[in-house]
Amino acid sequence: MPSPLPVSAGTLLKQPSFLFFLLSRSLTRFASQIGAVAIGWQIYDLTGSAFDLGMVGLVQFLPTALLVFVAGHAADRFERKRVVQLCQLAEAATALFLAYGSYGGWLTEIHIFVATFVLGMAGAFESPTIAALLPLIAPRGSLQRATALSSAAAQLATITGPALGGIAYAVASGLPYGIMLMFWLLSALLTGGIRASEPEADKDAATADDVFAGVRFIRNNPAILGTISLDLFAVLFGGVTALLPIYARDILDAGPFGLGILRAAPAVGALLMTAILARSAINRRVGLRMFQAVIVFGIATIVFALSHWMWLSVLALAVLGAADTISVVICFSLVQLSTPNEMRGRVGAVNFLFINASNYLGQFESGVAAALFGTVASAVIGGVATVAIALVWMKLFPSLRGVERLE
């Protein structure tokens, strides 16, 4: 069969449902990044502990690990945009709790951990459902470009979100949570306007007996298994972002606003890369390009770990973000295009557990390693481990290294 004609970025942006999707995802990312700065700084202010910073990542990871199969089943069993809306409303309610507690002066680290756990629960359902929804909105032959645009929109929010979070927290500890509340409510409204261009899968197909079908599907596809596991271990050992509050306050002496800049730096690099990918999709040797991107990610992590200059730290984080974007776009496109529509929720849930949620587990690993070996040593070890894993995976998964094209 002939390949579908490519759809330009401009054409995609003229489609109302795709535009609603971009805006909703951007506002959700905006709120999440504001929360990452506010929660991280507030926990470190309350406890002064690198271990407690790592615990924030673990608390967000646990609900994903516990709910991954239920969340994937829900994405295939119920109307996907309604699942996303319910998650966004739950996140808004949690932001309201954090804002009220901060302004009241009674919020403790235990309250923050409980709220973080709730946010992790909502994310466990929201992320795989959004991933399964995008292929139903993007025209055939345009998923890689749609993924790049979606990533660009989210990264644009990620650039400004951390800086706004740092400024808002400097004004009042409860202000960032108030902004998060507003953004999540707007996201829920925009999600309601999404209309799929392709019909969703038959909901009767996702029975309780098939809850673990996503695991079986991934296990039987070496290229997908290699892609997901590579990102799992790379992010697990490369979770240097969990240590940014320590770098901002104790190493770079940058303060809350500097923390916002550091949090935004990977998104700047990611945005530049997604702008390139939105115009020129990767059409050759995509498997090898993904391995190369992970290696660059590890090297950039090492440079950041050893830097004592703000400009070099920001540059290293920007390169890290650009490399990560290449890996994410290839991984997402490969998984979605290789998965039947009726299984995308369940496969996406496992994918989220291995990739997105590993960010949180990586934060926990970085916090524990920093407490044991020191902040700089922990970050250096993570970067070296990331490079080593990419080289080993190239040997273990030759079929992934040999993937030539996605669409």
Side-chain angles (χ1 to χ4, degrees):
M1 294 179 63
S3 300
L5 293 176
V7 177
S8 69
T11 301
L12 279 171
L13 291 173
K14 292 178 182 178
Q15 298 187 5
S17 288
F18 186 70
L19 187 59
F20 287 148
F21 179 92
L22 288 183
L23 291 173
S24 176
R25 186 166 186 262
S26 297
L27 289 172
T28 294
R29 179 63 66 88
F30 211 133
S32 298
Q33 291 300 312
I34 292 174
V37 171
I39 289 173
W41 196 271
Q42 196 165 24
I43 284 289
Y44 199 52
D45 263 349
L46 290 171
T47 67
S49 169
F51 180 80
D52 285 338
L53 274 177
M55 282 297 296
V56 173
L58 179 62
V59 169
Q60 283 188 292
F61 171 77
L62 285 176
T64 300
L66 295 172
L67 298 172
V68 56
F69 301 113
V70 177
H73 179 69
D76 288 334
R77 188 71 179 84
F78 303 104
E79 187 179 2
R80 287 167 180 164
K81 75 173 185 178
R82 300 305 179 197
V83 174
V84 174
Q85 281 184 304
L86 287 175
C87 293
Q88 290 165 339
L89 292 175
E91 289 163 336
T94 306
L96 177 62
F97 168 79
L98 289 169
Y100 183 72
S102 295
Y103 280 118
W106 50 263
L107 198 68
T108 68
E109 63 269 24
I110 300 300
H111 294 127
I112 297 175
F113 284 140
V114 171
T116 301
F117 187 84
V118 175
L119 291 176
M121 290 178 62
F125 283 88
E126 184 179 6
S127 184
T129 309
I130 287 178
L133 188 59
L134 180 57
L136 303 180
I137 300 170
R140 291 183 181 274
S142 66
L143 183 59
Q144 187 181 162
R145 182 166 282 117
T147 302
L149 284 172
S150 176
S151 179
Q155 295 297 347
L156 183 61
T158 305
I159 292 172
T160 51
L164 178 58
I167 295 172
Y169 188 86
V171 173
S173 61
L175 183 57
Y177 304 124
I179 298 173
M180 292 160 59
L181 168 63
M182 180 179 65
F183 283 150
W184 267 318
L185 290 176
L186 288 174
S187 295
L189 290 175
L190 289 165
T191 301
I194 294 174
R195 298 290 183 271
S197 58
E198 293 185 23
E200 294 202 22
D202 180 7
K203 303 306 176 183
D204 292 334
T207 65
D209 293 336
D210 294 328
V211 168
F212 299 101
V215 176
R216 293 193 296 270
F217 181 84
I218 292 172
R219 184 184 60 196
N220 294 329
N221 288 268
I224 296 180
L225 177 61
T227 300
I228 294 176
S229 58
L230 172 64
D231 274 2
L232 166 67
F233 288 105
V235 174
L236 177 63
F237 291 108
V240 72
T241 54
L243 305 177
L244 291 184
I246 301 176
Y247 271 90
R249 196 178 82 169
D250 300 336
I251 297 177
L252 300 173
D253 194 24
F257 182 69
L259 173 61
I261 294 176
L262 291 174
R263 294 282 308 193
V268 174
L271 182 63
L272 293 175
M273 182 54 64
T274 49
I276 295 172
L277 295 177
R279 294 180 61 87
S280 302
I282 301 174
N283 293 319
R284 294 182 62 253
R285 308 182 75 181
V286 293
L288 181 61
R289 296 291 177 263
M290 186 174 69
F291 282 113
Q292 292 170 339
V294 173
I295 291 172
V296 172
F297 179 94
I299 294 173
T301 299
I302 297 171
V303 173
F304 172 80
L306 298 174
S307 172
H308 284 74
W309 297 282
M310 186 68 175
W311 68 268
L312 181 58
S313 299
V314 171
L315 178 61
L317 289 173
V319 172
L320 181 152
D324 185 54
T325 295
I326 296 175
S327 175
V328 167
V329 168
I330 292 175
C331 176
F332 181 89
S333 299
L334 184 99
V335 171
Q336 294 299 322
L337 290 170
S338 303
T339 305
N341 181 39
E342 65 272 11
M343 290 183 58
R344 280 177 176 150
R346 284 161 288 175
V347 172
V350 179
N351 188 28
F352 175 61
L353 175 66
F354 273 60
I355 300 174
N356 299 60
S358 62
N359 281 286
Y360 305 136
L361 194 59
Q363 290 175 18
F364 175 68
E365 179 274 332
S366 296
V368 172
L372 293 175
F373 307 114
T375 302
V376 174
S378 167
V380 170
I381 291 171
V384 172
T386 299
V387 174
I389 287 166
L391 295 175
V392 171
W393 254 238
M394 290 179 70
K395 298 293 185 181
L396 292 178
F397 296 94
S399 61
L400 174 58
R401 187 184 61 207
V403 172
E404 182 71 16
R405 300 174 63 88
L406 290 174
E407 298 181 270

